[in-house]
């Protein structure tokens, strides 16, 4: 079965975007070559590269979703660091989540499904 290895995020100013992600994940990124940074998040690497073209994320575009066991603690930490985000919400299907946008407008969610994850996934 194929596995996701990396997600490439292009930006006109990745040098400004990378510190935001380092703050969110509390992990340093590595600049392997000029203009390319890699930030490991579990088994996936976020790769940040430069583009001269304007990048605009549509309001309802596909975003990044990460799993975290304590949505409320993450919300408290990020809000305390000055990151603008809405308070946690619990969806009707039982998932608890926070969502916000990075400085380039890319949407990010952090969610915890708990036991409700198994209710929604088909039996394999």
């Amino acid at each position: 079965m194929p596995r996701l290895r990396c997600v490439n995020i292009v930006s006109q100013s990745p040098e400004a975007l990378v510190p935001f992600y380092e703050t969110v994940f509390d992990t340093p990124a590595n600049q392997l070559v000029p203009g390319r940074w890699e930030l490991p998040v579990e088994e996936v690497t976020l790769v940040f590269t430069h583009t001269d073209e304007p990048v605009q994320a549509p309001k309802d575009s596909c975003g990044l979703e990460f799993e975290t066991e304590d949505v409320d603690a993450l919300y408290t930490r990020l809000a305390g660091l000055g990151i603008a985000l809405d308070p946690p919400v619990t969806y009707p299907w039982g998932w608890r989540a926070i969502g916000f946008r990075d400085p380039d407008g890319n949407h990010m969610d952090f969610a915890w499904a708990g036991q409700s994850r198994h209710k929604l996934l088909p039996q394999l």
Side-chain angles (χ1 to χ4, degrees):
M1 174 62 99
R3 290 190 328 225
L4 181 64
R5 189 187 70 74
C6 74
V7 174
N8 294 303
I9 302 172
V10 296
S11 175
Q12 286 184 301
S13 55
E15 60 282 342
L17 195 58
V18 168
F20 175 84
Y21 279 84
E22 289 177 320
T23 298
V24 167
F25 289 101
D26 197 23
T27 301
N30 299 308
Q31 186 174 16
L32 301 179
V33 296
R36 179 187 171 97
W37 293 262
E38 294 188 359
L39 190 145
V41 179
E42 296 292 329
E43 294 181 12
V44 176
T45 300
L46 301 180
V47 177
F48 303 89
T49 57
H50 180 268
T51 182
D52 290 326
E53 299 297 319
V55 178
Q56 183 156 3
K59 181 182 151 211
D60 294 326
S61 69
C62 179
L64 299 172
E65 182 174 298
F66 301 92
E67 189 170 50
T68 183
E69 290 186 17
D70 195 339
V71 171
D72 296 278
L74 182 61
Y75 169 80
T76 300
R77 183 177 76 79
L78 296 177
L81 293 168
I83 294 176
L85 65 164
D86 292 327
V89 61
T90 301
Y91 292 107
W93 51 88
W95 293 30
R96 186 138 177 90
I98 55 174
F100 54 97
R101 294 191 181 274
D102 73 14
D104 277 3
N106 299 304
H107 191 261
M108 302 175 67
D109 283 321
F110 287 82
W112 177 244
Q115 292 302 314
S116 65
R117 165 185 292 271
H118 304 292
K119 294 177 188 174
L120 296 175
L121 295 177
Q123 297 298 319
L124 300 177

